[in-house]
Amino acid sequence: MLSALARPASAALRRSFSTSAQNNAKVAVLGASGGIGQPLSLLLKNSPLVSRLTLYDIAHTPGVAADLSHIETRATVKGYLGPEQLPDCLKGCDVVVIPAGVPRKPGMTRDDLFNTNATIVATLTAACAQHCPEAMICIISNPVNSTIPITAEVFKKHGVYNPNKIFGVTTLDIVRANTFVAELKGLDPARVNVPVIGGHAGKTIIPLISQGFPLRGCGAAGGVRGWARKCGQKAFTAASSCTVKTSGGDTAALLIRSEQAELLCFRMRRDKCTPRVDLPQDQLATLIGRIQEAGTEVVKAKAGAGSATLSMAYAGARFVFSLVDAMNGKEGVVECSFIKSQETDCPYFSTPLLLGKKGIEKNLGIGKISPFEEKMIAEAIPELKASIKKGEEFVKNMK
């Protein structure tokens, strides 16, 4: 999952397949027949967190829905085809995921997709604003640095804008960072968590390697005690009624809820403890470059046959499962996402978020970072601002 940073990356996906998970989320996938939409819909259909799955696209959705409907899981599946059926697809939805749009081809940047995908996202989000204004909106369609501002402006035009419910899904950047760090350090990637902040294109993707940690039982009180000993801090408060007290490395107080322990552990590791991922500068620069250009790596490898679809479907499902967990009352769920933000002078910025029943419960901010990471943020801001403005101007100029 992207939940990140507070627990093992695959926990949300594992839990979503557990027969003990209970929820009745109604989820729509817009662009369900595409390279991301089909595997994403398969993962969502497999989850007992989802009770109703509605699939929309301009072609092939009846067949995709029929295929998925034969899978022996609880979610009902129905396909909707064309603009006239879109309202029915959206009615009553709790979560809408939008991977619709054209994929990148060799030589294209995410920004090259703007003209086509901006129109698609504006049209689909306008329908969401009209037919499921209270739903959580998860945008996968690139360029996310522009499509999230587009979504926000569309919802404003319809008078139903809620910044706590609109998410740019940047989860694939975290998934890649975890994987690549694990490869370098010989770790299990499921036990690595590297926050990735900023945006979702090129140098706006900012992996905070200095905050990356291999997890060792952080979801349990014992794990928290271990981190408290290593930090040697005198007091640390994670949430109301949740305090760990240590004195020169004494044992931490037991926490009542493991979810609160997870959030505490995340904050302790991020802001107080010595980083566990330590790389020489040349290796660090190579790693960050690979994370930032990982999408291009896949586009080139597929040689014109598409972009990152399977890994994006995994990352999108991970984000949705974390979000549904939080909507269902689970505490301590943390994910990075590109959202409306006041953490920098950029109006939109991705940071770790504490998710809750109504969407974003708290922006956890950037935290303590290295001078090198500070420089990356400064260099990313102008490009981010330009992409954001481009999205906002697109909606203002729509007829």
Side-chain angles (χ1 to χ4, degrees):
M1 97 196 136
L2 252 239
S3 162
L5 314 168
R7 58 185 187 234
S10 59
L13 282 171
R14 288 201 308 270
R15 186 173 53 260
S16 77
F17 300 141
S18 166
T19 55
S20 64
Q22 293 297 323
N23 200 35
N24 293 297
K26 299 175 179 64
V27 181
V29 178
L30 310 186
S33 299
I36 296 170
Q38 288 200 43
L40 172 60
S41 298
L42 172 62
L43 290 170
L44 295 173
K45 167 60 175 161
N46 277 350
S47 172
L49 294 172
V50 179
S51 64
R52 189 189 79 182
L53 184 61
T54 54
L55 310 179
Y56 171 82
D57 215 318
I58 58 173
H60 309 308
T61 34
V64 174
D67 196 357
L68 290 176
S69 71
H70 294 180
I71 295 172
E72 54 182 356
T73 55
R74 67 190 290 254
T76 61
V77 186
K78 186 171 181 179
Y80 296 84
L81 191 65
E84 65 283 351
Q85 294 186 9
L86 181 55
D88 288 336
C89 176
L90 294 172
K91 285 176 183 175
C93 283
D94 304 305
V95 179
V96 179
V97 195
I98 305 181
V102 296
R104 277 206 292 165
K105 295 182 174 66
M108 292 178 69
T109 66
R110 288 181 179 88
D111 205 49
D112 291 333
L113 304 174
F114 181 86
N115 289 334
T116 299
N117 287 359
T119 300
I120 292 170
V121 170
T123 301
L124 294 177
T125 55
C128 294
Q130 291 174 293
H131 301 291
C132 56
E134 295 300 317
M136 306 292 177
I137 309 297
C138 305
I139 305 293
I140 292 173
S141 308
N142 276 312
V144 167
N145 293 355
S146 297
T147 54
I148 282 297
I150 286 171
T151 301
E153 293 303 312
V154 166
F155 269 69
K156 287 176 187 177
K157 274 193 169 185
H158 286 83
V160 291
Y161 176 58
N162 182 344
N164 293 327
K165 292 187 174 185
I166 296 175
F167 303 91
V169 181
T170 62
T171 311
L172 183 52
D173 297 326
I174 291 86
V175 169
R176 287 167 167 161
N178 293 343
T179 300
F180 300 162
V181 166
E183 288 175 358
L184 276 176
K185 304 297 284 185
L187 301 168
D188 177 357
R191 306 298 298 174
V192 175
N193 269 301
V194 178
V196 181
I197 65 169
H200 187 55
K203 69 180 182 182
T204 71
I205 299 169
I206 304 167
L208 299 183
I209 305 300
S210 71
Q211 293 181 14
F213 286 83
L215 298 177
R216 293 182 176 87
C218 286
V224 175
R225 287 198 297 271
W227 280 109
R229 289 193 197 99
K230 291 172 184 176
C231 293
Q233 62 197 89
K234 293 182 179 179
F236 189 88
T237 303
S240 58
S241 77
C242 218
T243 301
V244 169
K245 297 179 180 179
T246 70
S247 178
D250 288 347
T251 302
L254 286 174
L255 300 184
I256 296 172
R257 295 178 181 172
S258 63
E259 293 91 347
Q260 293 171 329
E262 289 171 353
L263 180 57
L264 170 63
C265 187
F266 160 64
R267 286 172 166 169
M268 288 171 68
R269 289 185 289 107
R270 186 187 70 178
D271 296 332
K272 301 292 182 180
C273 302
T274 303
R276 293 289 169 184
V277 175
D278 188 17
L279 299 169
Q281 189 61 35
D282 59 339
Q283 200 174 40
L284 178 63
T286 300
L287 171 64
I288 288 172
R290 188 184 179 200
I291 294 167
Q292 291 176 333
E293 297 301 326
T296 302
E297 180 181 315
V298 175
V299 169
K300 288 180 178 178
K302 288 191 174 182
S307 58
T309 53
L310 301 176
S311 54
M312 184 63 248
Y314 167 87
R318 175 182 143 172
F319 186 84
V320 171
F321 296 147
S322 289
L323 185 57
V324 171
D325 267 343
M327 293 168 65
N328 202 34
K330 181 173 174 62
E331 298 179 356
V333 180
V334 179
E335 288 285 356
C336 292
S337 181
F338 188 67
I339 60 158
K340 184 70 174 174
S341 173
Q342 296 180 335
E343 293 301 314
T344 67
D345 62 349
C346 250
Y348 296 85
F349 202 81
S350 180
T351 47
L353 309 171
L354 177 63
L355 302 176
K357 292 183 177 182
K358 297 182 179 180
I360 300 169
E361 189 167 304
K362 183 179 177 61
N363 192 326
L364 298 177
I366 295 171
K368 183 179 178 181
I369 59 175
S370 71
F372 181 70
E373 291 161 348
E374 289 177 355
K375 184 170 181 278
M376 283 197 295
I377 292 174
E379 292 174 348
I381 293 294
E383 182 177 323
L384 264 178
K385 285 183 174 179
S387 297
I388 291 165
K389 183 177 180 181
K390 190 174 183 179
E392 292 174 337
E393 290 297 322
F394 176 85
V395 177
K396 288 178 184 177
N397 295 328
M398 284 177 60
K399 294 180 182 180

